[in-house]
Structures are given as structure tokens and as C-alpha cells.
């Protein structure tokens, strides 16, 4: 039924494909980072291992690729909340290899999730921390992944008067607006003990005042404190609205986000579906390149696919069950 | 969409292969009765790359599989030549290895193979080779900026590096001019002339500052006519075909190209996209002036197979809805042209 | 079904119905330990990659820790191999593109949004014929074409359900010319495709093949009841040639028996003649087919009545009593009953409802024209012959007869997949304005696109997921008014830049559809890729092509340092190539073209330092002035340039710079000191006394120059 592409070693905990799905990065419990490549030029053949090295002391829990405009590079998030940026590069007549070019760590809190985006030709890294903070870093030199600058820092709250110092977050999920060539916006949701932080909010950069503003909150009034497992912003190939999927313990909701802000600067939102499927934690949600099919995985160990039908009704279209 | 130009003056036969054809060549064979073509194929479904020999019979038309050799990966460059009583096929692969296959000259059965393993010659997948006519010297160039010479002995291969630019210059095409000279092409329509008697680098460079109006591109293919060794014919991006005469280095003759700028209406363009291969047309009319560039044939990404002649209107032999990746003119029957179509097929064209 | 596809387009949202039971597919892996985690990633198009991670084990020898698998969703028709699908995909590009361009030129002409022109269906018919020619299965080996006297059923090509479905839609929706003889087209259709139904039920074709296989073992053919049975069956669906051929196998034709079975043979021959003279309401028969064809209905009616009266006459003939072969007598009279349209005989002769349906048109309702009440008749036939199993072609046929576009759409989408639906909508919309409205109406529920566009996008996704077909997806995407370009941009962005041919194809597609911003982005990705992977020349080339000034500025700095450093080196020759490349660029090279002049300057400077003449020094000054005058020389390089030239400025023999030249350089120095006040000024790494020593040298030079002039 499915074609096997690759077997990975014992202890592999995470994997991530690059923009063109031709390279796979994998991380292990012991901090080993490996790269697998398809033969070039494209063929259907299996992948071959082209790099393997221990890059971290602890468990690598997530790998995120940097946009290809900045080379072949990844961010590895470890279980202890440290982010290492690794880049494949030829330097000073040494052979091509992956090198750590930057490490992000914070004494007080752990990094839970990072995502990259490009706005006004600058690379941005959005990072969510275990204390409920979101930090945005900007790359200073387009050819150097070493030099970053903190652009902004804020908590994921709409009406921010007080800061929630005691917040403890288990996980966070960030998803950037995949639309290229415009000022970036992203959505972030937390799974924490502080209800105000949890609900997923859309943040947009306000050019005029050079600051990030929350422009929408994707939760019904009664669900605002719900812990968020995962968020995913769908590619928009021409719809007059954005589609964003949010997973909480109540299920999977599909939101429409309007494009034109009201007088308060808020974008209109509408929850068009609440779907149940995974019966618990949702691990990951991914939209296909048309933004029409959503794939999800979760605690029940299934892969589920969701689509909207001709009448605009969202439903589960198929599911995959791993069997040995 | 698919308009076959000149269908009155040539016969076209298409043979679906159900495999991607990376390159195609006629085999130079001695037999007058058999005609053979060599195909570099890639079977997506079985994930097999191979070099296949097919026999072509014009009457009744047939194009039949004869024999094949499995390649470790896809073929990036394919050349065939004749040496003593053997037909030699040289192929470089996308994994960086180089292979020589020897075939019987009368029935084209593949008899033996020698190879240079991966990573010995080039560090990257993109390489181009040329096999010396009537010889077993093969020059290889690559994106990594290396230039190698491989000589096939009786039972062994010798190879040495002639030059290594360390990646500062990438080479994308190569062609022998004489037993000691060859020309290479690269990015920015760069053309270099090399002479093995003067090692250490190119002896002549096609200077870039000749025409500010020409948009830059990549050279994909070079041809040099045995009777006019001083002229280097190059085909590349934006439908560009140009002739570089070593004696008038700064003034190339643009034979085709859209990158020549709006002001330049003197040059027509047979294609608007990549010219994948260029060869002097072996089928020359007797009245060709000696001061002119000899007519040449090209195939292109936008599906054109055509003939370009300086100062004349170009002739489209084929206009396919898909790319034509490579072609070859039969040296014994120059009216016959074989070409590989992107849509997993081979076409054989017989000009009248 | 192809091993790595799921469902026949089941993932394409085609129905309004969401109550379908959920399809759960197994994902096979051979991991020994339980799965602890999954990761998913979409590749291009409809290909989904799933990583399955086993629970980590302390024992390292417990097999693999994880598997990565690929699932392709919503594939094609299992009947057709992947390679053949690609052939069909390639072949359908040209007809599709031609039809789209005809549609747009027609709607431009008529200024109306709907392409309803009197002759529009003719264009669609041409398109349909072009597509049909692609759908033929593999030809059988040529040896079978050699005429075998005992061969009853001939096959020229392997029929496929795909082609059968396509032709069925062509018959009902497109071919307006043959609407008048629709039943006859159905007869032909069944003759071509009856064998396909053998998979789910008994068919006349199947019976014929079985009988033919047994033929060699039968001694006296007319004594075998199956002989007569098979002939009535074949006759009931109008396979006249086969019946006549079989009748001629009758024992009474054998030379040694002819004399004593004269009457019997006469009756056989009379029936054979009647069969071969059957009037048909159709323009002309396929070459070699029996029956007399009539184009006009009145002529046909006249001929039909005459033919029927001949049959009745023969049926009542006294010769039957004289025929002493009971088998022959009864068999022949059964054939006559079929021709007389005896419902019971037809029902016995046919195997399933479509055969019965066709026999009704031939013998009971020969004057039917058009689609009128065809559905009712079909229902009647289904009642008489309830189907034993469902077949995808019968479901489609019912949908067509019902005149229910939605059902037809759902059937072809489910059973034949995205290629079929993307191409067949052209047939459906040629059929009726109602279907046209249904399919082309833009729907809010679909994000503002029409059903036609939705299916084209879905088909483009299938094409996108394959290495060999992604490049034809743009043809379909650009025919989508609303969202095609958006999806095309995503597709192009997700192609790897590593392989030159793919990269150039990608850029070529951008050029064709004027997606300059995408190609510029792709070229930047390629530039950074090559630069970082040690191929500096290729990197710079692509960055120049993408006109990425910010990266080129950074590279200029690096090159400036390297060129400056290596000028005396042996390795300088290596830089020649890249500098040539930079110089040849006419597009703004982001401050890189000055490097060319800088190289010349450094060269002559080197000659000066190696103790060459004043001429060399003059040349170096010339280059310096050129560099300083050139607006493309970045400001940050001014000071290093001047500092490098100190020896020239302090030339012993005579001042090398004229008054105006010295003033130019002094002005530049002034500009620099002003620029230093501004933010973002990067201080060059020079000794702190550099500006003052330059200023001093320039002042001295100025003084000497004034004296000289």
C-alpha cells in the first residue's frame, strides 16, 4: 500500500523533510543528527545517508528547516530547550559538511517550538518559550547564519497588562502564514497552566509602529483557556480568506480568517468546523500545497486526512493505521 | 500545439520507450546493413538506469531493443566513438562515475566495460564529457570546476587532473578540437580554450565584455568542426547559439538568441529557451560559403529541432509539445537524425 | 490498484455526501516494537510522507528504530499501468490545450462567457477523438490477425473500462451528429466492450469465447445445443457477422453432405441471408459488417417492414415440416424469434441487462431516436435481469441515462480517478447548458472556484507528485481562472534547485507564465545553494540572475578581500574566471562589476611594487581614478583603495595625479568623513592613521601638481 523509502536507526525520535522533499533530517535520543538524500537528479530510488554526527548532549525532539533562500540549514530543538542552528557549508577548503553555526539558549526557560519566515527580504525566527514568551529574531547578514538580533519579545496574550511570570508551558505550536512576499504574520498557541496564554492568536507586524500586534484570537469565548496542541496555517492559493486549523482536547477546529481588519484592527474569524478524530493529543498537523487537504497525527497512532466537500462541510476523508 | 513543420520534406517516427531518455546517440558502426542507436535511459517504475542499444531499420520501420548495460545511476553525459575495430561508448553518471563500454562494430553487442569510480573525477553530479574522435581519450569537466583527462588503455584506465578551479568557475560543456586542444563552456556564456601543451589553465578565454546587451546564460553544448578548428560553436540559455572565432576573439557571431536585447533585430531566434545541444549539420549544401559559419542543428527545451544557418531563415524540423533533450546526426547517413523527447520517447527523423 | 496509491480518487471531494463510512487504510511497516510517534510531511502534490518511530529500546539489536514511507493519494485506474498512465497524461496535453485555446478564442469572439456556439460540440468531438486514440490498450500480437476460419471472436486491441467509459460519454454528450442513431452506437459500443463485463457476470462475449475454445472438440456442431444458444445470443445484440459466420459452420454446408441435406441447407442459408440483410438505422456500417444501412428514417421503416414480412413468411413456411433435423429446425426458428422481437426469446438470449437493453433497441423498438424514455427502458431491463454484481460501467451508464450530471461526475471521479474527471468535464459540458452551469459556476463553498477548476487542480496535484509529469501540471493550472497560478507558484517553489536541468525547466516555466518574482526567488535559492556548497562562480551567476543585491553586496566584500589578498598569489589565476563572469553581466551586479576594474588596478599596482617603470604607475593611477569615478564602486572600498595607492600618491619622480584628479580623490575623502557620522557606517579594518596619511599624501601631490601645471 505504501512505499517504504528508508529505515532509520534505533533511537530516532524525529524527522523533517526540506522544502523540495529531497532531503530528510533526523534526530535521535542521544543527540545524533543525520541527513539522508535522494539521488540527484530526481529518481524514485531510496535515500542514502550523507551525514551523521552527534551535535547535542540531549534528546533532539524537533527539527525545522530554514527556508532554502538561506542555504541548507536546520534548527534542532533539544529536550532541554536549546536550539542549535546547523548549516551545510564548504569553508576554507574543507569538504562540505554540517556545522553548528548558532545556539539559542535561555537560562530561565526552554524553547518549545521555532519556525522560520521571510519578510521584507529578512529571515525571521519565531521561538516560543516555556515561560509563555514569544521571541522573534532577525538574521542580520543574508549569507551568515551566525548573526541574529532579537527583534521583539512578548507574551501570547491579547490584552497585556500584567505579565504571567509563573507560567509553565508544556508545549507550544507556531505556524507562519505561508504566503511569501509580504510582511509576516503567524499564529501561536500554548499548552500551559495559564489559561490566558493558551488560546491561539494571530500576530501581525505593524510596520508603522514597528511592533507585533495580536489581530485575531482563534477560540470561542468558552474555549479560550483550552490548551492548544497544534496549529497549522493553510497555504492560500486564491481563496478570499485564510484557513487555519487548531487542535485542542475538544477536537480539531477549522477557522476562516478574514483578510480585512475591522476598525479595531482585528481580523474577522469564523469557526467553520469542529471535528473529532484523534481522541486526545494531536501531535502534528500539515496542509498539502493546495491548502485543501489537512493531514494530522495524534495519540491514537493514526494519520487522518480532512477535506471540505462541495458543500463546504469539513469531514474526515480517510485514515491510515500503522500495522506491522 | 504539436505542429510538425516540414512534414512533407521529412519522415518522422516516434517510438515510445516508457522510460525517460537522458541522452541518445547513433553508434558509429562499420556494418552497412545495421544501424544502431545508444540510449541512456531511466526507468522510473523499476528505478533502473541503463545504457541500451537499439537497432533501427527503415523499411519496414522498426526500432528494436538489442542489449543493455545497467548503470549505477542516471547518465549525465553520453558520447560514442570508434577506435580500431571497436565502438566505444563513454558515459558519466550522476553519482560521479565514468564508464567506457566496448561494443562489437558489426552487431553492436556490448562486450566489456571499464570505469572510474565515484568521487575520483568530480565531487558533484553535474559533469560533461567528450570522447576524442577515433581515439580513447576522454575529457571530463564539471560544476566543481575540475577538468580531467581519462585515457583508456588495453586493460586499464589512466586519469589525471588537468585543472581545478576550486569551484570558482564551473564547467558545463566540453568538446575536443584536436588531439591536444579542447574547448569548455560554463556560466555567463564563458568559453575557454585549452591546450595540453600549455598546462596550468586555459590558453584563451572568450572575454565577457563584448556585448553589453546580451543577457547572460549557460553554455550547454559545444561543437567544433574538424575542418574549421578555430571556430567554436556554442549553444545555451535563451535560445543562444554563437560562434567564437579564436582569431577574432572579442566578436562572437550570434546565430540565434533572444537575449540579444530589443535593439538587436538582426539576429533571429529559433528557440526562446535552453538550447540543450548543438552540432554542425553534417548534411551540408555545396554552395555554403567558406567565410560563413557552417549550418548547425540544435534541439531545445521548448521542443524545437532545427537547423540554423548564418544569414538565412532557420528551419524547424520538429516542433514538439515537450522538450527535446538531445539529438545526434548519423555520420554515415547525415539525413537521419535521432532525438530524445522528454515524454519518454525517441524520434527518428529522415530528411528527404 | 497500483501498490502505492490509495483509492480511486476517493480523496477528491466530489460529493455532497459526508455520511460515507470512513475508509481506513493500513500503513504497513515491519518495525518489531510498537510505534510511539508519527511524523507527517506533504511532498509535492498528493504524496504524503509518514515517519513511524518505534519506542526506543535499550538493546541496540532490536532492529530498525523508524521507517519512512510514502503514500500517494487518489491515484488512477488500477487497470492501467503507471507507465501507460504517463503515456496518456503526456498525450492528453496537446488536445486539452488546443480545446482550451479554442474556447478562449471563441468566447473572445462572441463576448459571451459561455462557449455556446453552434459548432462548439464539433471541437469537443475532435478533442474526444484525440483522447480516445490514446486510450487504446496494448495491441495483441500480430499472429492473431491471421484469419482463422474457426475464429469467431476477433480482437484487435485489449478493451479497457477507461476507453469504454470515455466512448459512452462521447456517444451521449458530444456526438450530436449521431444522436439520430444513438441506439446503433450503443450496439457498436457493446460489441467493443461486452467482454469487460465478464469480470462481474456472464456475458455473451464470454459464452462465445468458451464455445470457441470447445469448438475443436465438437464433432457435429449443429447437434450441440450450445451452438444454437450462442448464435441466438450473438444475434440478440446484433453481432450479425458472427452469427452468419457460425451458421456457415453448419454441417449441411459440407460438400459430402450437401446433396442429402439440401433442404436443411437451404433453410440455414435463408436465415443467414435474412440476417445479413437486416436493415439498420445508421449512416454506414463499419467495413465488413453485415446489415443494410439507412440514413433516413422513412427509408428505414419501409425496409424494416419488408424485412420483417420476409421473416414472418419464412417462419410460416411449409419447408420447416420437411426439415428432418430437429436441432436445426428449432435452432433456426429460435433465431427467427429473436429477429421478430419476441421478448421472451430476447430475454433468454441475453445474459445481463445491458445486452437485453441493446436487443430491445434492435428488435423491439427499432425506431427509437434520441434519449427519450431510454431511462425507463433501462429500468425495465434491470427488472427483467437483475444485476448479479455492480460494475463501474453499468453505474456510469445508469447515471448517464438518468441524465444526472452529479451522479455521472461522482461515478467517473470515484471509478476512474482525477485524469478522467479533469478531461471528461469537457464532454459533460458540451452536452447541456445545465451541466455547463453546474460545473462552471463559482462556489463560495469551494473558496470561490468552480467544480471544473477543482477537478483540474486535483489532477494537477496528481501530476505534481511525479518526477516525470510535474512539468505538465502548469498546462492544467493555467487553465484554472482563480487558484491555478497560486498552486503553480507553490509547485515551482518546491522543486529542488540542485539539479541543473530541473532548475532550468523551472525557470523556463516561470518565463512562459511571466512569474518573474518566482523565478527570481528560485535563482536566489540556487545562488545561495551553490555559493555555500563551494561553487562560487555558479553561486554568483545565479545571484546575479536573481538580482539579489543584498547577497551580492556581501559577496563583493568577500571577493574584495580575497582578490586583494591573492593578487600576488599563484592562485590569482583562479579568480580570473569568476571576475570574467562578473564583468560579463549587464544586469546590475550589486556592486560586483567594479571588481573587474579593481583586478586591473591591483595588477598594475603589483607591477609597480615589483619595481616596474613609471608607465606602470601611470597605468595604475588610471585604474584608480576609473575606480573612484565609477558610481558602482561601493563607498566602503574607497579608503582601502586609496590606502593601497599610497605609493602612487607619494611617487618620487613626479606627481602622477593631475590637479583635478587629486581634487576628485580629496572630495571622496571628504565624503567619507561625512559618511562616518551616519549610522550603519562600517569602519574598514585599516590602521587608524590611514585617513591622515592618505590626506597628507594627497595634499603633497596637489601641491606638486599645481607647480607642474
Amino acid at each position: 500500500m505504501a512505499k517504504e523509502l528508508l529505515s532509520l536507526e534505533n533511537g530516532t525520535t524525529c524527522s523533517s523533510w526540506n522544502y523540495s522533499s529531497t532531503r530528510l533530517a533526523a534526530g535521535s535520543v542521544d543527540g545524533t543528527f543525520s541527513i539522508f538524500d535522494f539521488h540527484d537528479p530526481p529518481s524514485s530510488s531510496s535515500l542514502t545517508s550523507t551525514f551523521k554526527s552527534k551535535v547535542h548532549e540531549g534528546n533532539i525532539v524537533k527539527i525545522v528547516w530554514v527556508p532554502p533562500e538561506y542555504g541548507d540549514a536546520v534548527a534542532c530543538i533539544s529536550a532541554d530547550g536549546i536550539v542549535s542552528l546547523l548549516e551545510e557549508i564548504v569553508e576554507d577548503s574543507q569538504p562540505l559538511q554540517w556545522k553548528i553555526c548558532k545556539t539559542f539558549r535561555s537560562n530561565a526557560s526552554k524553547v518549545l517550538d521555532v519556525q522560520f519566515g521571510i519578510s521584507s527580504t529578512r529571515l525571521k525566527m519565531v521561538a516560543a518559550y516555556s515561560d509563555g514568551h514569544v521571541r522573534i529574531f532577525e538574521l542580520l547578514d543574508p549569507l551568515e547564519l551566525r548573526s541574529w538580533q532579537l527583534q521583539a519579545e512578548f507574551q501570547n496574550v491579547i490584552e497585556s497588562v500584567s505579565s504571567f511570570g509563573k507560567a509553565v508551558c508544556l508545549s507550544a505550536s507556531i505556524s507562519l502564514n505561508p504566503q511569501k512576499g509580504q510582511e509576516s504574520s503567524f499564529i501561536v498557541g500554548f499548552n500551559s497552566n495559564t489559561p490566558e496564554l493558551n488560546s491561539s492568536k494571530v500576530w501581525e507586524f505593524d510596520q508603522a509602529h514597528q511592533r507585533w500586534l495580536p489581530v485575531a484570537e482563534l477560540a470561542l469565548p468558552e474555549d479560550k483557556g483550552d490548551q492548544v496542541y497544534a496549529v497549522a496555517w493553510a497555504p492560500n492559493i486564491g481563496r478570499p480568506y485564510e484557513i487555519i486549523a487548531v487542535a485542542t482536547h475538544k477536537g480539531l477546529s477549522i477557522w476562516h480568517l478574514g483578510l480585512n481588519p475591522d476598525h479595531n484592527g482585528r481580523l474577522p474569524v469564523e469557526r467553520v468546523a469542529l471535528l473529532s478524530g484523534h481522541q486526545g493529543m494531536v501531535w502534528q498537523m500539515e496542509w498539502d500545497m493546495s491548502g485543501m487537504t489537512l493531514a494530522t497525527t495524534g495519540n491514537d497512532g493514526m494519520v487522518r486526512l480532512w477535506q471540505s466537500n462541495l458543500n463546504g462541510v469539513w469531514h474526515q476523508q480517510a485514515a491510515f493505521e500503522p500495522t506491522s | 500545439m504539436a505542429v510538425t513543420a516540414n512534414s512533407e520534406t521529412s519522415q518522422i517516427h516516434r517510438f515510445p520507450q516508457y522510460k525517460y531518455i537522458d541522452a541518445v546517440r547513433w553508434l558509429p558502426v562499420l556494418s552497412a546493413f545495421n544501424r544502431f542507436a545508444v540510449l541512456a535511459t531511466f526507468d522510473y517504475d523499476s528505478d533502473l538506469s541503463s545504457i541500451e542499444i537499439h537497432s533501427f531499420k527503415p523499411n519496414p520501420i522498426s526500432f528494436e531493443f538489442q542489449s543493455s548495460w545497467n548503470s549505477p545511476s542516471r547518465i549525465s553525459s553520453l558520447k560514442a566513438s570508434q577506435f580500431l575495430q571497436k565502438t566505444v561508448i563513454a558515459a558519466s553518471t550522476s553519482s560521479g562515475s565514468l564508464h567506457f563500454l566496448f561494443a562489437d562494430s558489426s552487431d553492436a553487442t556490448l562486450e566489456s566495460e571499464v570505469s572510474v569510480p565515484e568521487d575520483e573525477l568530480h565531487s558533484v553530479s553535474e559533469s560533461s564529457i567528450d570522447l576524442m574522435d577515433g581515439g580513447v581519450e576522454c575529457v571530463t569537466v564539471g560544476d566543481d570546476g575540475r577538468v580531467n583527462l581519462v585515457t583508456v588503455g588495453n586493460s586499464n584506465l589512466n586519469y589525471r587532473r588537468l585543472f581545478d578551479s576550486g569551484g570558482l568557475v564551473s564547467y558545463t560543456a566540453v568538446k575536443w578540437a584536436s588531439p591536444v586542444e579542447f574547448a569548455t563552456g560554463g556560466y555567463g556564456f564563458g568559453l575557454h580554450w585549452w591546450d595540453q601543451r600549455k598546462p596550468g589553465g586555459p590558453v584563451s578565454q572568450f572575454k565577457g565584455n563584448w556585448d553589453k546587451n546580451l543577457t547572460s546564460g549557460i553554455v550547454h553544448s559545444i561543437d567544433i568542426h574538424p575542418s574549421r578548428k578555430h571556430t567554436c560553436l556554442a549553444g545555451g540559455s535563451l535560445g543562444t547559439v554563437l560562434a567564437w572565432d579564436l582569431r577574432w576573439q572579442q566578436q562572437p557571431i550570434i546565430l540565434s538568441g533572444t537575449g540579444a536585447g530589443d535593439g538587436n533585430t538582426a539576429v533571429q531566434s529559433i528557440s526562446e529557451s535552453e538550447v540543450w545541444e548543438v552540432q554542425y549539420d553534417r548534411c551540408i549544401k555545396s554552395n555554403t560559403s567558406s567565410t560563413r559559419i557552417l549550418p548547425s542543428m540544435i534541439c531545445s527545451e521548448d521542443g524545437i529541432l532545427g537547423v540554423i544557418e548564418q544569414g538565412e531563415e532557420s528551419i524547424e524540423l520538429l516542433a514538439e509539445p515537450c522538450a527535446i533533450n538531445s539529438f545526434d546526426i548519423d555520420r554515415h547517413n547525415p539525413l537521419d537524425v535521432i532525438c530524445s523527447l522528454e515524454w519518454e520517447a525517441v524520434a527518428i527523423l529522415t530528411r528527404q | 490498484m497500483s501498490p502505492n496509491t490509495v483509492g480511486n480518487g476517493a480523496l477528491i471531494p466530489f460529493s455532497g455526501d459526508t455520511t460515507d463510512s470512513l475508509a481506513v487504510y493500513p500503513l504497513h511497516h515491519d518495525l518489531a516494537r510498537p510505534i510511539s510517534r508519527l511524523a507527517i510531511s506533504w511532498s509535492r502534490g498528493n504524496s504524503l510522507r509518514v515517519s513511524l518511530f518505534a519506542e526506543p529500546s535499550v538493546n541496540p539489536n532490536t532492529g530498525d528504530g523508524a521507517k519512512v514511507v510514502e503514500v500517494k493519494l487518489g491515484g488512477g485506474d488500477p487497470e492501467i499501468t503507471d507507465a501507460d498512465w504517463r503515456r496518456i497524461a503526456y498525450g492528453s496535453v496537446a488536445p486539452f490545450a488546443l480545446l482550451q485555446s479554442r474556447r478562449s478564442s471563441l468566447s473572445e469572439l462572441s463576448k459571451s462567457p459561455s462557449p455556446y456556439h453552434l459548432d462548439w460540440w464539433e471541437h469537443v468531438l475532435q478533442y474526444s477523438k484525440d483522447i480516445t486514440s490514446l486510450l487504446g490498450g496494448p495491441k495483441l500480437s500480430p499472429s492473431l490477425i491471421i484469419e482463422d476460419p474457426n475464429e469467431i471472436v476477433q480482437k484487435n486491441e485489449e478493451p479497457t473500462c477507461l476507453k469504454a467509459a470515455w466512448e459512452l460519454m462521447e456517444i451521449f454528450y458530444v456526438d450530436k451528429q449521431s444522436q439520430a442513431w444513438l441506439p446503433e452506437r450503443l450496439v457498436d459500443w457493446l460489441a467493443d466492450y461486452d467482454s469487460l463485463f465478464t469480470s462481474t457476470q456472464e456475458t455473451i462475449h464470454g459464452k462465445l469465447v468458451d464455445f470457441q475454445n470447445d469448438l475443436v472438440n465438437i464433432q457435429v456442431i449443429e447437434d450441440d445445443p450450445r451452438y444454437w444458444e450462442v448464435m441466438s445470443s450473438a444475434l440478440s445484440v446484433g453481432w450479425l457477422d458472427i452469427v452468419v459466420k457460425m451458421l456457415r459452420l453448419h454441417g449441411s454446408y459440407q460438400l459430402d453432405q450437401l446433396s442429402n441435406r439440401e433442404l436443411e441447407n437451404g433453410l440455414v442459408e435463408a436465415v443467414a441471408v435474412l440476417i445479413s440483410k437486416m436493415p439498420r438505422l445508421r449512416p454506414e456500417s463499419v467495413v465488413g459488417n453485415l446489415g443494410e444501412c439507412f440514413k433516413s428514417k422513412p427509408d428505414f421503416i419501409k425496409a424494416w417492414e419488408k424485412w420483417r414480412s420476409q421473416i414472418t413468411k419464412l417462419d410460416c413456411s411449409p419447408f420447416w415440416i420437411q426439415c428432418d433435423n430437429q436441432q436445426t429446425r428449432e435452432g433456426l426458428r429460435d433465431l427467427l424469434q429473436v429477429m421478430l422481437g419476441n421478448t421472451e426469446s430476447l430475454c433468454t438470449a441475453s445474459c445481463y441487462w445491458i445486452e437485453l437493453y441493446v436487443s430491445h433497441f434492435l428488435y423491439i423498438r427499432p425506431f427509437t431516436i434520441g434519449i427519450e424514455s431510454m431511462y425507463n427502458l433501462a429500468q425495465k431491463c434491470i427488472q427483467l435481469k437483475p444485476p448479479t454484481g455492480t460494475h463501474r460501467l453499468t453505474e456510469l451508464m445508469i447515471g448517464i441515462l438518468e441524465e444526472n450530471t452529479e451522479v455521472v461526475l461522482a461515478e467517473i471521479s470515484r471509478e476512474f480517478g482525477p485524469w478522467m474527471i479533469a478531461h471528461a468535464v469537457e464532454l459533460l459540458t458540451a452536452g447541456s447548458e445545465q451541466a455547463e452551469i453546474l460545473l462552471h459556476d463559482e462556489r463560495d463553498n469551494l473558496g470561490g472556484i468552480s467544480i471544473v477548476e477543482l477537478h483540474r487542480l486535483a489532477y494537477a496535484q496528481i501530476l505534481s507528485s511525479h518526477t516525470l509529469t510535474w512539468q505538465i501540471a502548469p498546462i492544467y493550472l493555467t487553465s484554472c481562472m482563480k487558484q491555478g497560478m497560486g498552486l503553480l507558484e507553490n509547485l515551482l517553489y518546491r522543486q529542488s534547485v540542485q539539479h541543473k536541468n530541473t532548475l532550468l525547466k523551472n525557470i523556463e516555466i516561470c518565463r512562459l507564465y511571466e512569474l518573474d518574482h518566482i523565478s527570481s526567488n528560485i535563482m536566489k535559492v540556487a545562488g545561495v545553494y551553490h555559493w555555500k556548497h563551494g561553487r562560487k562562480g555558479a553561486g554568483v551567476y545565479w545571484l546575479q540572475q536573481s538580482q539579489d543585491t543584498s547577497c551580492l553586496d556581501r559577496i563583493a566584500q568577500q571577493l574584495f578581500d580575497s582578490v586583494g589578498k591573492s593578487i600576488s598569489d599563484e592562485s590569482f589565476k583562479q579568480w580570473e574566471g569568476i571576475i570574467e563572469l562578473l564583468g560579463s553581466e549587464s544586469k546590475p551586479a550589486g556592486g560586483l562589476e567594479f571588481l573587474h576594474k579593481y583586478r586591473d588596478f591591483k595588477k598594475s599596482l603589483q607591477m609597480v611594487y615589483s619595481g616596474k617603470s613609471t608607465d606602470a604607475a601611470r597605468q595604475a593611477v588610471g585604474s584608480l581614478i576609473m575606480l573612484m569615478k565609477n558610481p558602482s564602486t561601493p563607498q566602503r572600498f574607497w579608503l582601502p583603495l586609496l590606502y593601497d595607492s599610497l605609493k602612487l600618491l607619494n611617487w618620487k619622480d613626479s606627481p602622477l595625479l593631475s590637479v583635478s584628479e587629486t581634487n576628485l580623490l580629496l572630495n571622496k575623502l571628504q565624503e567619507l568623513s561625512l559618511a562616518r557620522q551616519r549610522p550603519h557606517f562600517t569602519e574598514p579594518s585599516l590602521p587608524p592613521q590611514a585617513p591622515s596619511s592618505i590626506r597628507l599624501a594627497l595634499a603633497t601631490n596637489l601641491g606638486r601638481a599645481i607647480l607642474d601645471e
Side-chain angles (χ1 to χ4, degrees), chain A residues 1 3-8 15 21 69 87-88 90 141 284 286 288-290 307 309 319 321 323-324, chain C residues 3-4 11 14 18 23 25 27 29 40 42 49 51 65-68 70 461 490 493 521 532-533 554:
Chain A
M1 161 131 278
K3 186 169 80 167
E4 184 178 320
L5 298 178
L6 185 68
S7 293
L8 296 164
S15 72
S21 304
E69 288 85 343
E87 160 174 56
E88 190 184 40
V90 169
D141 177 338
Q284 197 190 356
E286 292 285 322
D288 76 333
M289 70 179 196
S290 69
Q307 278 183 341
N309 69 7
E321 184 171 29
T323 51
S324 52
Chain C
N4 52 342
L11 285 155
F14 55 81
T18 52
Y25 303 94
L27 259 187
H29 63 85
I40 45 178
W42 288 96
R49 306 244 172 102
S51 300
K67 290 277 179 192
V68 183
E70 181 174 57
Q461 290 259 70
N490 286 352
Y493 182 76
N521 192 70
K532 294 217 169 187
H533 285 75
R554 282 283 300 115

Side-chain angles (χ1 to χ4, degrees), chain C residues 151-186:
Chain C
E151 192 186 67
I152 305 163
V153 199
Q154 273 190 8
K155 286 207 286 189
N156 291 325
E157 68 174 32
E158 199 66 55
T160 60
C161 287
L162 185 67
K163 191 174 182 182
W166 186 273
E167 283 193 5
L168 200 58
M169 285 187 281
E170 179 187 296
I171 291 168
F172 281 96
Y173 297 122
V174 188
D175 197 350
K176 306 276 192 241
Q177 214 158 23
S178 58
Q179 287 294 323
W181 47 88
L182 196 65
E184 281 285 350
R185 289 215 55 187
L186 270 182

Side-chain angles (χ1 to χ4, degrees), chain C residues 643-659:
Chain C
Y643 192 66
D644 273 355
S645 317
L646 267 181
K647 187 168 181 178
L648 301 174
L649 305 178
N650 292 322
W651 199 252
K652 287 199 182 69
D653 308 346
S654 63
L656 294 177
L657 286 89
S658 69
V659 177

